[in-house]
């Protein structure tokens, strides 16, 4: 994942999100990436499951 001390300016399309998209068969746009970035792990996992159902 990313450093919490120096996060990237743009997180969409970064390796961690590309890996998540590939593993779960979802697409994460910039707004969704920001939402997921700010979530705790449990909430992010639930959101990823919702995204899977939507696709």
């Amino acid at each position: 994942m990313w450093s919490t001390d120096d996060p990237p300016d743009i997180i969409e399309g970064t390796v961690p999100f590309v890996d998540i998209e590939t593993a779960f068969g979802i697409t994460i746009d910039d707004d969704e990436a920001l939402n997921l970035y700010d979530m705790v792990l449990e909430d992010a996992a639930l959101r990823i499951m919702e995204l899977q159902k939507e696709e």
Side-chain angles (χ1 to χ4, degrees), residues 11-55:
I11 59 175
E12 177 189 17
T14 58
V15 174
F17 275 120
V18 170
D19 290 346
I20 292 168
E21 288 176 321
T22 301
F24 296 101
I26 60 174
T27 302
I28 301 172
D29 64 19
D30 191 44
D31 290 333
E32 196 65 56
L34 291 173
N35 288 335
L36 288 168
Y37 182 80
D38 287 333
M39 291 180 180
V40 296
L41 186 57
E42 183 178 356
D43 293 339
L46 292 173
R47 181 62 187 139
I48 288 169
M49 287 189 286
E50 289 173 0
L51 290 170
Q52 284 180 304
K53 290 177 185 176
E54 292 173 9
E55 294 213 14

